[in-house]
């Protein structure tokens, strides 16, 4: 199994703990701190294990980004019958996780590092952030939206447009402002609830709209 195609769920708890330490090293010390020796020391494992699990440094970065993106939870329980209430709850969880991950030190450090490398020849971090981070989140969130449509709870002709409307309602320009040094939200739960309410009013079917007051 290549680390480029591995899902975070396929990593063991021990591997996830190593990735957590690698992310902390990046936040605390920047790109120079992210060496195999440094990660091995911080995670109390051998360099041989790092190479076996993740491959080269790009493979480690890819796994770190995928692991970070996996903290944004979405609808993944096969066979669950969605209701208006459970759809609302799943989308709120997604929105809150998204805000908290984007506002966290790790994501800000990764994005600032990618921006700083954007003019370098051969820099791969920006591409990895898109492919293993943002697109992984997008794919799982769109699966939730599609499930809502199949359950007769959402109506739209273009799933991509509906999802990006949700993303825009949740994030707005917050991430850009935080990358520029502005403090994050004090109440991510309130922002998530407001965004999801607006999204459901735009795309919810009559079944969902009838329950809106009870849903918040």
């Amino acid at each position: 199994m290549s680390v480029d195609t591995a899902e975070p769920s396929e990593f063991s708890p021990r591997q996830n703990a190593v990735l957590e330490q690698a992310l902390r090293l990046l936040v605390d010390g920047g790109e120079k701190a992210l060496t195999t020796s440094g990660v091995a020391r911080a995670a109390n494992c051998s360099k041989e294990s790092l190479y076996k699990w993740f491959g080269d440094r790009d493979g480690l970065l890819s796994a770190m980004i995928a692991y970070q993106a996996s903290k944004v939870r979405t609808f993944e329980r096969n066979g669950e019958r969605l209701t208006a209430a459970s759809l609302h709850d799943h989308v709120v969880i997604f929105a809150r996780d998204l805000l908290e991950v984007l506002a966290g030190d790790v994501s800000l450090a990764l994005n600032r590092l990618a921006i700083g490398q954007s003019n370098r020849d051969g820099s791969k971090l920006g591409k990895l952030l898109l492919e293993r981070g943002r697109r992984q989140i997008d794919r799982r969130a769109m699966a939730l939206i599609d499930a809502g449509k199949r359950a007769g709870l959402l109506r739209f002709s273009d799933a991509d447009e509906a999802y990006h409307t949700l993303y825009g309602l949740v994030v707005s320009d917050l991430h850009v402002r935080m990358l520029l040094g502005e403090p994050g939200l004090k109440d991510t739960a309130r922002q998530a609830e407001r965004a999801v309410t607006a999204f459901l009013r735009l795309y919810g079917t009559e079944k969902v709209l009838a329950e809106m007051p009870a849903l918040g």
Side-chain angles (χ1 to χ4, degrees):
M1 176 183 67
S2 168
V3 73
D4 291 331
T5 58
E7 291 296 322
S9 60
E10 295 174 353
F11 293 130
S12 69
R14 176 63 176 134
Q15 290 168 335
N16 286 338
V18 170
L19 294 173
E20 195 70 54
Q21 289 297 322
L23 288 167
R24 182 49 50 192
L25 276 178
L26 180 66
V27 171
D28 292 343
E31 184 181 9
K32 292 181 180 179
L34 193 64
T35 64
T36 52
S37 297
V39 173
R41 280 195 304 272
N44 194 27
C45 70
S46 68
K47 290 194 290 185
E48 289 75 17
S49 292
L50 289 179
Y51 286 118
K52 177 182 177 182
W53 293 337
F54 309 117
D56 59 13
R57 189 170 181 275
D58 286 342
L60 176 61
L61 272 172
S62 177
M64 289 163 60
I65 292 165
Y67 170 70
Q68 182 70 3
S70 73
K71 296 175 183 179
V72 181
R73 294 166 292 169
T74 51
F75 175 73
E76 295 176 355
R77 284 176 279 181
N78 292 331
E80 177 180 348
R81 183 183 179 89
L82 276 178
T83 64
S86 63
L87 173 65
H88 167 270
D89 291 347
H90 280 303
V91 182
V92 167
I93 288 170
F94 164 75
R96 288 185 65 173
D97 285 356
L98 181 63
L99 286 169
E100 289 170 8
V101 166
L102 290 179
D105 290 343
V106 169
S107 290
L108 292 173
L110 282 167
N111 279 276
R112 285 170 179 150
L113 182 58
I115 292 168
Q117 293 182 358
S118 61
N119 292 326
R120 292 189 198 173
D121 291 338
S123 175
K124 296 181 179 179
L125 183 56
K127 183 178 180 181
L128 287 172
L129 280 171
L130 286 173
E131 293 182 351
R132 299 289 285 155
R134 175 65 187 270
R135 287 174 188 158
Q136 177 181 304
I137 292 170
D138 293 351
R139 175 178 55 79
R140 291 186 287 114
M142 286 184 68
L144 168 58
I145 290 175
D146 284 336
K149 183 178 183 180
R150 291 195 302 272
L153 302 170
L154 297 175
R155 53 186 171 192
F156 50 79
S157 57
D158 187 327
D160 187 69
E161 179 182 296
Y163 167 66
H164 283 93
T165 298
L166 172 63
Y167 192 98
L169 288 167
V170 173
V171 178
S172 184
D173 63 346
L174 173 67
H175 200 218
V176 173
R177 299 202 315 269
M178 291 194 68
L179 286 170
L180 295 174
E182 185 174 306
L185 290 172
K186 293 182 180 179
D187 190 349
T188 56
R190 182 182 179 190
Q191 170 66 12
E193 187 66 54
R194 289 174 61 184
V196 172
T197 297
F199 174 75
L200 293 178
R201 290 195 188 283
L202 286 170
Y203 292 99
T205 62
E206 287 77 7
K207 189 185 301 185
V208 171
L209 296 175
E211 296 190 28
M212 285 297 291
L215 294 177

